[in-house]
Amino acid sequence: MNIKAFVIHVRGNEEREKHITKELKKFNINFEFILDGNIEDLSDEKLTKYFTKSYQLKTAGVSCSLKHILACEQIVKQNLDKAIIFEDDIFLKSNTNAVVDDIIKEIEEEKLSNYIISLENSTHGYVLKKDRIKGKLLYKRELGRCAGAYIADIEFAKTFLKSIEEDKCHCEIDWYHNHLSEQNKISIYWAHPFIATQGSHNGKMKTLLDNRKKAGFVR
């Protein structure tokens, strides 16, 4: 898999760090942690720079959104054609490398640009059997499937960051992706088959965004 990954990670959470490091090393994925943007890093200056007044909150949700923004800044800074952004509770399927290689091939064949490609099954969003085309992996959709695992290209990152600069982020980052899609500023695709599942969605890990939600099968 010849693509770099950025991991949205709460600095200091050793359990999540160990999990995602082990998970990504299984697939020889080259990755970098996004460590800035913890709640304690949410200065008034940063909140004003990136967020609307209504979303200038020192919460886990805002911290997560900021880390996604910082990941896109790194895509542009490092001049990466494309990258994967993972949240640190992701579990990957055994066919991850083969599927990502095929996705990249389809991106190049279709000459896609200014996109995010959802790699996960969160929200139970699946490409219906009646919509599937043999040999095709990418299906354009208006809305995403959360933001736990997605491929983003540099054109998306530039569009995204320009929108943040001009209008500021007013909501959680997956909703902001949907907002840009609804404005026809970016394209969203769902990958089939999916390769990733969020541990905070399947009950294997406790979510860091809502203390009321527990881990376990019932989750």
Side-chain angles (χ1 to χ4, degrees):
M1 184 194 301
N2 187 25
I3 182 171
K4 185 171 183 176
F6 293 96
V7 176
I8 307 304
H9 174 60
V10 177
R11 187 180 66 248
N13 190 315
E14 294 183 2
E15 178 187 6
R16 292 285 187 100
E17 181 182 348
K18 289 178 181 177
H19 161 72
I20 197 65
T21 298
K22 180 180 178 181
E23 193 72 8
L24 298 187
K25 282 187 174 180
K26 285 194 299 187
F27 300 94
N28 295 315
I29 296 173
N30 174 28
F31 68 95
E32 179 179 329
F33 284 114
I34 301 298
L35 298 176
D36 191 12
N38 272 25
I39 293 177
E40 61 268 27
D41 302 327
L42 296 177
S43 64
D44 292 342
E45 181 181 2
K46 285 183 179 178
L47 290 171
T48 301
K49 178 178 179 180
Y50 294 108
F51 304 106
T52 61
K53 287 185 179 180
S54 64
Y55 201 53
Q56 290 176 14
L57 309 169
K58 295 185 178 183
T59 63
V62 173
S63 169
C64 182
S65 294
L66 177 56
K67 287 175 181 284
H68 280 270
I69 294 169
L70 298 178
C72 283
E73 288 184 349
Q74 286 301 313
I75 291 174
V76 175
K77 182 179 179 180
Q78 298 181 32
N79 194 31
L80 302 173
D81 179 60
K82 62 181 72 69
I84 303 180
I85 297 177
F86 289 120
E87 293 187 349
D88 60 5
D89 63 336
I90 281 295
F91 289 80
L92 298 175
K93 296 177 69 176
S94 60
N95 60 345
T96 288
N97 283 332
V99 172
V100 171
D101 287 345
D102 287 342
I103 287 173
I104 292 173
K105 183 179 179 181
E106 188 167 326
I107 289 170
E108 294 171 350
E109 289 175 347
E110 298 293 330
K111 295 181 171 60
L112 301 184
S113 180
N114 195 24
Y115 58 79
I116 57 174
I117 295 170
S118 171
L119 302 174
E120 63 185 308
N121 66 338
S122 299
T123 70
H124 294 288
Y126 303 98
V127 177
L128 299 178
K129 189 173 182 179
K130 67 181 180 63
D131 296 329
R132 298 174 195 167
I133 300 171
K134 186 176 181 180
K136 184 174 179 62
L137 287 85
L138 305 180
Y139 297 83
K140 193 171 184 181
R141 294 292 184 265
E142 185 176 341
L143 305 177
R145 299 184 287 192
C146 295
Y150 59 95
I151 298 175
D153 75 332
I154 193 168
E155 293 307 319
F156 160 80
K158 290 176 179 178
T159 300
F160 174 75
L161 294 173
K162 181 179 179 182
S163 182
I164 296 290
E165 180 181 3
E166 294 176 349
D167 300 322
K168 311 302 181 186
C169 179
H170 63 277
C171 57
E172 293 185 6
I173 211 66
D174 49 340
W175 293 1
Y176 196 77
H177 291 165
N178 294 341
H179 169 69
L180 294 180
S181 173
E182 289 167 344
Q183 292 185 322
N184 295 315
K185 290 184 176 180
I186 66 167
S187 295
I188 293 177
Y189 295 86
W190 291 6
H192 176 81
F194 69 89
I195 60 164
T197 300
Q198 289 190 47
S200 55
H201 283 230
N202 65 16
K204 291 184 177 181
M205 303 182 80
K206 189 179 184 300
T207 177
L208 300 180
L209 299 180
D210 188 343
N211 289 330
R212 296 170 298 175
K213 295 180 179 179
K214 306 302 180 183
F217 179 76
V218 175
R219 168 78 176 92

